[in-house]
């Protein structure tokens, strides 16, 4: 079937998508260099001369970046301005980063996630989804850290620049990255589970593996959406249009067979909720729930795939999902 979490493309900021070579990661937005060969990304160093300095604004607030009068060294620099005390970010973790940016070449301030209308950047660390200044800088760093990153063209926007950010051809860009959160792909919601009523599918927790869903024998499926919070998370409420990081598993009511599970194909995945990109049962059932919750949704055909087959799911199927809401941005 068409997997639930692949019904949309992760809404990464277009300006930060790979515009030059960044190792093995590929992107539909990747642009080759003028010679048709991806530019080599230099290995980051911890310091160089000259270096920008930071003033004002602590972690979690917009940074003030002061540029030297000298031109940049051309090195890719990732310097830990302040080290956090959280977990270490590993490759493939879903990481949330706030950022401040300045163009060293022109001296202009660039759009920041802290500006009005801005939002944190969510992406998988070390996978080549974004420019190396974001992609590579956070791997091995701790959540809660503020990083000062000097990105020469090969680690930033290359010879193409970025019209969306106002970065010119071959500009060096300075980023201050605040590492807000990291969610490993094998994450699951923890905590004591409350079972739904006996007339609803029962759920068995399996730790780091997909929960087991047992459909009640002889019970007719409901005709409207059923929602059960099995573990109540303490995070903020999910809002329509947010991007969520979730684990999920699903079975068909008719036979109780699993048709899809993120636990079985790569782990936690990102999707946008309440924007019409998912089946209606998910859009209706996840908005308003809290981050850190485990939710059971019983989705009737009208809010699922209707009278259309989807992979191994027959037409007019009632679907049962258990979804762990791990993060919302």
């Amino acid at each position: 079937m068409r997997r639930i979490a692949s019904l949309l493309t992760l809404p990464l900021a277009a300006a930060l998508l790979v515009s030059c070579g960044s190792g093995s990661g590929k992107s539909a937005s990747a642009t080759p260099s003028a010679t048709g060969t991806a530019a080599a990304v230099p290995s980051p160093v911890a310091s160089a001369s000259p270096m920008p300095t930071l003033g004002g604004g602590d972690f979690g607030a917009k940074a003030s970046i002061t540029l030297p009068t000298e031109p940049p060294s051309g090195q890719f620099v990732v310097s830990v301005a302040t080290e956090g005390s959280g977990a270490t970010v590993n490759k493939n973790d879903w990481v949330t980063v706030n950022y401040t940016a300045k163009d060293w070449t022109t001296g202009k301030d660039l759009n920041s996630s802290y500006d009005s209308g801005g939002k944190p950047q969510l992406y998988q660390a070390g996978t080549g989804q974004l420019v190396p200044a974001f992609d590579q800088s956070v791997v091995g760093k701790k959540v809660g850290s503020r990083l000062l990153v000097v990105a020469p063209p090969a680690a930033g926007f290359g010879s193409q620049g970025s019209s969306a950010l106002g970065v010119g051809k071959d500009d060096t860009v300075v980023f201050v990255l605040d590492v807000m959160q990291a969610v490993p792909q094998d994450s699951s919601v923890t905590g004591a589970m409350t079972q739904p009523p006996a007339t609803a599918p029962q759920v068995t927790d399996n730790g780091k593996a997909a929960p087991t869903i047992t459909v009640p024998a002889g019970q007719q499926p409901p005709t409207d959406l059923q929602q059960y919070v099995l573990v109540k998370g303490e995070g903020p409420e999910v809002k329509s249009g947010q991007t969520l990081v979730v684990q999920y598993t699903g079975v068909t009511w008719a036979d109780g067979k699993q048709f899809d599970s993120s636990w079985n194909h790569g782990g936690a995945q990102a999707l946008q909720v309440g924007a019409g990109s998912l089946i209606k049962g998910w859009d209706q059932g996840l908005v308003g729930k809290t981050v850190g919750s485990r939710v059971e949704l019983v989705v009737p055909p009208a809010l699922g795939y209707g009278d259309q087959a989807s992979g191994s799911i027959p037409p007019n199927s009632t679907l049962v999902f258990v979804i762990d809401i791990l993060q919302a941005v």
Side-chain angles (χ1 to χ4, degrees):
M1 69 167 286
R2 187 174 52 167
R3 288 179 175 141
I4 297 296
S6 64
L7 294 181
L8 73 161
T9 301
L10 177 63
L12 295 165
L16 297 174
L17 286 169
V18 176
S19 59
C20 63
S22 59
S24 59
K26 302 294 183 182
S27 167
S29 301
T31 304
S33 66
T35 60
T37 302
V41 179
S43 297
V45 297
S47 64
S49 183
M51 277 289 288
T53 57
L54 301 181
D58 294 326
F59 176 90
K62 187 173 182 177
S64 174
I65 303 171
T66 300
L67 300 172
T69 56
E70 302 94 335
S73 67
Q75 292 181 286
F76 178 19
V77 184
V78 180
S79 174
V80 179
T82 57
E83 186 171 36
S85 58
T88 299
V89 177
N90 295 307
K91 183 178 179 180
N92 295 317
D93 284 359
W94 287 102
V95 62
T96 304
V97 171
N98 271 311
Y99 62 92
T100 309
K102 193 161 191 169
D103 189 321
W104 190 331
T105 304
T106 65
K108 293 180 180 178
D109 290 322
L110 304 176
N111 289 337
S112 160
S113 65
Y114 290 111
D115 294 336
S116 177
K119 62 183 299 186
Q121 186 68 52
L122 171 67
Y123 60 102
Q124 278 188 284
T127 60
Q129 291 177 320
L130 300 188
V131 295
F134 277 67
D135 180 61
Q136 297 182 17
S137 296
V138 297
V139 176
K141 306 303 189 294
K142 293 182 178 180
V143 172
S145 295
R146 168 162 280 190
L147 310 178
L148 175 59
V149 179
V150 179
F157 302 100
S159 61
Q160 306 298 316
S162 170
S163 58
L165 278 180
V167 177
K169 178 180 179 293
D170 294 326
D171 285 4
T172 292
V173 179
V174 179
F175 292 101
V176 177
L177 307 182
D178 289 344
V179 186
M180 311 299 293
Q181 189 174 358
V183 176
Q185 282 194 293
D186 65 351
S187 297
S188 296
V189 164
T190 59
M193 274 202 326
T194 300
Q195 288 293 342
T199 54
Q202 303 296 289
V203 179
T204 302
D205 180 69
N206 293 318
K208 291 288 187 180
T212 301
I213 302 173
T214 304
V215 177
Q219 186 75 29
Q220 290 298 309
T223 57
D224 55 358
L225 179 66
Q226 302 294 301
Q227 309 174 43
Y228 306 102
V229 177
L230 308 180
V231 179
K232 172 71 171 177
E234 297 182 355
E237 286 191 0
V238 172
K239 296 180 175 60
S240 183
Q242 283 191 307
T243 299
L244 308 184
V245 176
V246 300
Q247 292 269 34
Y248 68 91
T249 190
V251 305
T252 47
W253 181 289
D255 57 13
K257 290 184 178 179
Q258 184 185 100
F259 58 82
D260 193 16
S261 177
S262 64
W263 276 276
N264 298 339
H265 60 71
Q269 299 187 26
L271 50 86
Q272 190 178 25
V273 70
S277 301
L278 303 172
I279 59 174
K280 293 178 181 178
W282 277 47
D283 279 347
Q284 295 180 20
L286 295 181
V287 171
K289 303 299 188 292
T290 55
V291 175
S293 293
R294 170 169 285 182
V295 179
E296 178 180 288
L297 300 179
V298 182
V299 180
L303 299 179
Y305 294 104
D307 59 3
Q308 302 297 311
S310 180
S312 61
I313 300 175
N316 299 309
S317 289
T318 296
L319 309 176
V320 185
F321 295 96
V322 172
I323 303 163
D324 285 3
I325 306 172
L326 303 171
Q327 190 174 6
V329 175

